[in-house]
Amino acid sequence: MKVRLKDIADQAGVSIALVSNYLRNHQAARMSQATRARIEKALSELDYQPSWAARTLRTGKSNIIGLVATMLNYEVNQSEMLALFNEAVQRGFQLFVQYTGECPERLPGAVKTLLAQGCDMVIISGNLTDEDCSALSEFASKVLLINSNKTAEIPGRTLRYDYESAVLEALDDLAGKGHKNICYLCNKEWRIDQRMNAFLTRYPEENLVDCNFYKERSQEWFEQLLTEKKSCTAFFCINDFIALELMQYMLLSNRKVPQDYSVLGFDNVHAAALTVPSLSSIARPLAAVARKVLDQCEAIIKDSNHEFVVEIFKCIYIPRSSTAPVNICKEV
């Protein structure tokens, strides 16, 4: 049997209006913690399930936010989604997710699906190009973009990660430790990569190494890398997983980190701090971005004409024991 507001109010010993305000997280819902606890207990005991369709018809808002995720196969993107989910829940929103993979042609369809499901806003997270943004222009009033591409944007609806400043800080730190020849393990065809662009302001293109980004890297591949780059004393990797693979191969081939080579990753996955030696890395400010994204979503839901200047969030360089001065001789 459907649970009514009156049932909840009777069970909790409060008014129907108070229950209604509580469920809507309305400003008028001022009450003691004891009263909140009674309402929450009544909701639990009666197994109350809110009708999102009814709420949408009544208020014009569903309190549902959509997320189009393009790279959930990477831990950092999963962590970003979790940060957005936690922030949304704290503010009384549900989060519906569509996963497109790295297939930009799926983006418009994913947005349409989420809007058809009643989402008030749709967040899109990925490394989007100008072409991707153009394809999404028809939804501009209902979308918010978190982009790791330095240039592409949806005007008035874009937040951006700044990789470059943290990469330059890390490279300068390695240079200060005496590393004159550093190689970047990357996807050389990915020319919009902020990391690559920052690296090329310090080192020549010949220091780029295509790391078979979408393929398995064999022990033979790593041995060829170290043989061809004998003069290299430090490796910067496009992500932590490739950095950890490199460190593992060095361990298996009796090379030492950081005594023989320094290794720097990117993304600051959980394992980075747990390896021996621990991996120096660069972290995205996921919690700060999630808070700002939900701030802007709430502002747009309240006023569909709300716009803001592109907001940029600097990443954070985290030096650990995998990077050290050249020819260091110590136990790690």
Side-chain angles (χ1 to χ4, degrees):
M1 189 172 73
K2 183 178 178 181
V3 178
R4 303 169 301 170
L5 294 187
K6 183 178 185 304
D7 300 325
I8 301 167
D10 290 345
Q11 184 91 346
V14 298
S15 69
I16 294 175
L18 199 59
V19 173
S20 176
N21 286 337
Y22 175 86
L23 291 173
R24 290 184 294 141
N25 197 26
H26 196 278
Q27 291 181 349
R30 296 175 181 173
M31 62 191 79
S32 68
Q33 284 301 116
T35 301
R36 288 182 180 275
R38 292 206 309 275
I39 295 175
E40 289 170 2
K41 183 180 179 183
L43 291 170
S44 176
E45 291 175 345
L46 295 171
D47 193 24
Y48 174 73
Q49 301 296 324
S51 171
W52 297 99
R55 172 182 284 183
T56 302
L57 289 173
R58 186 175 67 251
T59 67
K61 299 179 179 64
S62 66
N63 277 25
I64 304 172
I65 290 176
L67 171 64
V68 177
T70 62
M71 293 186 289
L72 283 180
N73 47 326
Y74 299 106
E75 181 183 317
V76 66
N77 303 103
Q78 296 164 14
S79 297
E80 179 188 69
M81 183 178 72
L82 183 59
L84 290 167
F85 173 81
N86 288 336
E87 191 66 31
V89 167
Q90 289 178 18
R91 301 183 189 217
F93 290 99
Q94 288 195 90
L95 191 70
F96 287 4
V97 179
Q98 284 279 317
Y99 174 53
T100 65
E102 298 180 48
C103 300
E105 66 274 9
R106 297 179 183 172
L107 287 170
V111 174
K112 285 181 180 179
T113 296
L114 289 167
L115 292 176
Q117 290 174 339
C119 293
D120 294 324
M121 282 288 299
V122 176
I123 302 164
I124 305 168
S125 175
N127 197 339
L128 274 66
T129 64
D130 289 325
E131 291 77 13
D132 299 331
C133 292
S134 178
L136 294 167
S137 60
E138 65 177 295
F139 310 109
S141 65
K142 287 283 190 176
V143 300
L144 190 149
L145 174 62
I146 309 173
N147 202 0
S148 53
N149 184 335
K150 184 180 178 182
T151 58
E153 67 180 68
I154 298 174
R157 292 289 188 272
T158 303
L159 295 93
R160 180 174 293 127
Y161 290 114
D162 169 21
Y163 294 175
E164 291 188 357
S165 59
V167 170
L168 292 176
E169 181 184 354
L171 293 176
D172 289 345
D173 182 49
L174 286 171
K177 289 180 166 70
H179 295 279
K180 296 180 180 179
N181 194 9
I182 301 172
C183 289
Y184 177 39
L185 274 58
C186 61
N187 179 358
K188 290 176 72 171
E189 295 181 357
W190 201 6
R191 306 308 294 191
I192 62 174
D193 179 15
Q194 286 194 54
R195 289 157 290 201
M196 182 190 298
N197 293 330
F199 184 85
L200 290 174
T201 66
R202 296 286 194 273
Y203 299 94
E205 184 135 358
E206 64 192 42
N207 285 39
L208 299 178
V209 177
D210 200 307
C211 64
N212 294 339
F213 189 72
Y214 296 105
K215 300 177 182 178
E216 184 177 349
R217 288 160 291 280
S218 64
Q219 290 191 3
E220 291 75 17
W221 186 89
F222 282 112
E223 186 58 38
Q224 182 178 354
L225 168 71
L226 297 178
T227 300
E228 292 180 354
K229 300 296 180 182
K230 286 183 178 179
S231 63
C232 178
T233 59
F235 290 94
F236 170 38
C237 302
I238 191 171
N239 62 39
D240 288 341
F241 292 108
I242 293 172
L244 292 170
E245 281 185 276
L246 177 59
M247 287 172 60
Q248 181 185 51
Y249 179 74
M250 288 178 175
L251 175 65
L252 294 173
S253 61
N254 295 316
R255 294 165 171 105
K256 295 181 179 180
V257 178
Q259 291 92 330
D260 298 327
Y261 299 97
S262 283
V263 179
L264 168 68
F266 194 98
D267 285 335
N268 194 41
V269 300
H270 290 99
L274 304 177
T275 59
V276 179
S278 56
L279 176 64
S280 297
S281 191
I282 293 170
R284 304 181 195 181
L286 300 178
V289 169
R291 287 192 296 272
K292 181 55 68 172
V293 166
L294 268 295
D295 284 347
Q296 296 295 5
C297 281
E298 288 185 321
I300 294 167
I301 291 169
K302 185 177 180 180
D303 177 6
S304 60
N305 294 317
H306 172 77
E307 292 188 354
F308 55 93
V309 177
V310 174
E311 299 198 44
I312 299 174
F313 291 81
K314 292 186 176 181
C315 294
I316 305 154
Y317 170 46
I318 304 172
R320 296 192 179 102
S321 53
S322 69
T323 51
V326 174
N327 297 325
I328 187 171
C329 291
K330 67 175 182 179
E331 299 228 359
V332 180

